[in-house]
Amino acid sequence: MSKTINTFIQNTLCMPWKCPVCGYENADDASFCIKCGAQKPADTQFTPPAQTPPPPPVDQSLQQPQQVEAQQQVITPPPPTPPAQTPPPPPVDQSLQQPNTMQPVQQQVVTTPPPTTPPSPTIPPAQQVTQKYYLLFIQTPYAGLINQKIPLSFDIFPSISVGRSPENVIIVPDPEVSRRHALISLEGGELYIEDLNSTNGTYIYDGKLFQPVKGKQKISPNTIIKLGNQTIVKVLAE
């Protein structure tokens, strides 16, 4: 190695230097430029390089990879779970699988009789009346009826109802007369009057007193009838 260094020094000592002023190349041993006389710069003087000490020997044991024995961890898997056993199906009753040999039951048809319609009440037909009858109002709270003759139309109605309700054939506007107070009918050419359970009663004048009507009672023309306590009528015939 020392021989190599000496050769490098000899080659370096023979290197020319370049003048920084005029650029002329001078010999290495010249201290001034031959052309312009400028002084050789100091940085061109050779400084022998410092000797680099050789690197220390490398320990071969450090370059070898350290072998580490890895402990193998053995993982023991759990034992497999046995599959669940499916219970066998219950035995089938053979009697249920046998076809039904019983004969079908004959259906009994019940015939429902048609509903019976009750007979409608028979309304006696209107009579052929040859004589006309009237009610003459003698006394009543309603002044418009006094001395009025109201016909008993037996040729239209088989019986004539008298009362305070508008449903009657003859309407009497008297608060003491019941809604359906009395019924006057013509049967076989004879007149009859019947009280319909009125509150204040129906009466017939016998020449002295008014007698209450009980059931169906026969009357005749010129009979005076009291309905309740205030209304008095007279039967007329023409």
Side-chain angles (χ1 to χ4, degrees):
M1 181 177 293
S2 60
K3 184 178 180 179
T4 303
I5 294 174
N6 293 331
T7 304
F8 175 77
I9 293 173
Q10 291 178 3
N11 294 332
T12 305
L13 292 176
C14 296
M15 287 182 59
W17 58 275
K18 190 174 184 178
C19 178
V21 178
C22 63
Y24 182 78
E25 291 185 359
N26 300 281
D28 181 65
D29 55 353
S31 299
F32 297 93
C33 179
I34 299 175
K35 186 176 182 179
C36 66
Q39 188 178 0
K40 179 181 180 180
D43 56 355
T44 59
Q45 296 180 2
F46 172 76
T47 302
Q51 295 183 2
T52 303
V58 180
D59 190 358
Q60 298 296 330
S61 62
L62 297 178
Q63 294 183 355
Q64 295 179 359
Q66 184 178 2
Q67 297 180 357
V68 180
E69 295 181 0
Q71 297 181 359
Q72 296 182 357
Q73 184 178 1
V74 179
I75 300 176
T76 304
T81 303
Q85 296 182 359
T86 304
V92 180
D93 190 358
Q94 299 297 329
S95 61
L96 298 178
Q97 295 184 352
Q98 295 179 0
N100 188 6
T101 57
M102 297 178 62
Q103 296 180 358
V105 180
Q106 296 182 357
Q107 296 182 357
Q108 184 177 2
V109 179
V110 179
T111 304
T112 304
T116 304
T117 304
S120 57
T122 303
I123 301 176
Q127 303 182 38
Q128 189 70 26
V129 180
T130 57
Q131 191 174 9
K132 294 183 179 181
Y133 297 95
Y134 300 88
L135 284 184
L136 175 64
F137 280 83
I138 299 174
Q139 177 182 326
T140 183
Y142 183 63
L145 283 178
I146 296 177
N147 295 326
Q148 293 291 327
K149 290 194 307 182
I150 306 300
L152 300 175
S153 303
F154 292 113
D155 54 344
I156 300 175
F157 304 99
S159 59
I160 296 175
S161 60
V162 181
R164 193 178 72 251
S165 173
E167 300 174 355
N168 296 284
V169 178
I170 298 178
I171 303 172
V172 181
D174 183 353
E176 295 188 5
V177 173
S178 299
R179 294 177 60 85
R180 286 179 56 84
H181 196 97
L183 189 67
I184 301 174
S185 59
L186 179 64
E187 299 178 8
E190 301 290 340
L191 290 174
Y192 294 90
I193 188 169
E194 180 182 1
D195 184 75
L196 300 178
N197 296 323
S198 63
T199 302
N200 296 318
T202 303
Y203 306 89
I204 296 177
Y205 186 66
D206 61 356
K208 294 181 180 180
L209 298 173
F210 282 99
Q211 301 295 333
V213 174
K214 297 179 181 180
K216 183 183 290 187
Q217 191 167 338
K218 184 179 179 180
I219 58 176
S220 60
N222 298 322
T223 299
I224 298 175
I225 304 170
K226 185 171 72 169
L227 304 172
N229 298 322
Q230 302 183 66
T231 299
I232 298 175
V233 296
K234 183 178 181 179
V235 180
L236 299 179
E238 293 181 356

